[in-house]
Amino acid sequence: MPKPYPPEFRIDVWRSVRSHGDTKTGTSRRTLELPLRAAAALRGHHTRQAAQRLRAGKAWCDSGLVFCSTTGRPLDAANVRRSFRLITKMAGIGESWSPRELRHSFVSIMSDGGVPIEAIAEPCGHSSPAVTGQVYRHQLRPVITKGARVADSVFGTGESAQIG
């Protein structure tokens, strides 16, 4: 059995931004291990946030939030979307993405990596793997790629043929 990660490498999802503060379903309440890369990124964010706190001085509002404004206050949805679009633009993937699509990307990447849909549903907090597969999983590789590989295996690759 693998050694458990230290507490700083996990995130506890036990409440929600919903008006009553509870999660959508019982399975939505969960504790997730974080990949080491994510933990390192959060450490860097924490360092930058400490510098923001110092710059803000008395204007800093200690809300206890991991992601907040430059003065520690909660972010509104429009600010999150605007910042997210700036990030996707800088990454060279366009400005039409929304934060919600990260769930779809996570499920699709995990599925493409061979993770069983049941194992993907759990960190997503889905009560049924069917929801994960039907709503969130999108095929990353076009079917035509698989068809081409099958054709190559049946007919050979024709490496001696000139392409172009």
Side-chain angles (χ1 to χ4, degrees):
M1 178 171 205
K3 181 180 174 184
Y5 280 22
E8 65 268 18
F9 293 122
R10 70 169 203 248
I11 184 167
D12 299 315
V13 183
W14 292 96
R15 59 187 179 87
S16 171
V17 294
R18 296 172 181 281
S19 60
H20 53 78
D22 201 5
T23 56
K24 189 174 178 182
T25 67
T27 55
S28 295
R29 290 184 291 275
R30 62 214 183 271
T31 298
L32 303 169
E33 279 185 343
L34 290 176
L36 296 175
R37 179 181 287 236
L42 285 170
R43 268 196 225 99
H45 173 72
H46 183 72
T47 300
R48 289 186 300 278
Q49 194 175 62
Q52 285 179 332
R53 185 179 295 120
L54 288 174
R55 279 193 301 275
K58 290 183 179 181
W60 182 263
C61 172
D62 194 3
S63 60
L65 296 171
V66 173
F67 299 103
C68 56
S69 74
T70 56
T71 57
R73 288 172 175 71
L75 297 170
D76 66 25
N79 285 337
V80 171
R81 284 190 301 273
R82 190 173 20 264
S83 295
F84 189 76
R85 287 188 181 123
L86 178 62
I87 291 167
T88 59
K89 180 182 180 181
M90 290 171 56
I93 59 173
E95 297 176 66
S96 62
W97 292 76
S98 70
R100 180 76 177 154
E101 290 173 295
L102 291 174
R103 291 177 65 82
H104 294 264
S105 297
F106 170 78
V107 170
S108 299
I109 290 167
M110 294 280 106
S111 179
D112 192 59
V115 178
I117 199 72
E118 297 79 12
I120 301 169
E122 189 175 5
C124 291
H126 296 153
S127 57
S128 164
V131 171
T132 311
Q134 293 169 358
V135 177
Y136 291 96
R137 181 174 51 188
H138 306 286
Q139 189 168 2
L140 296 180
R141 295 185 196 138
V143 174
I144 194 72
T145 302
K146 292 179 182 174
R149 290 184 184 154
V150 169
D152 285 344
S153 70
V154 171
F155 302 111
T157 59
E159 290 177 6
S160 61
Q162 293 290 331
I163 298 177

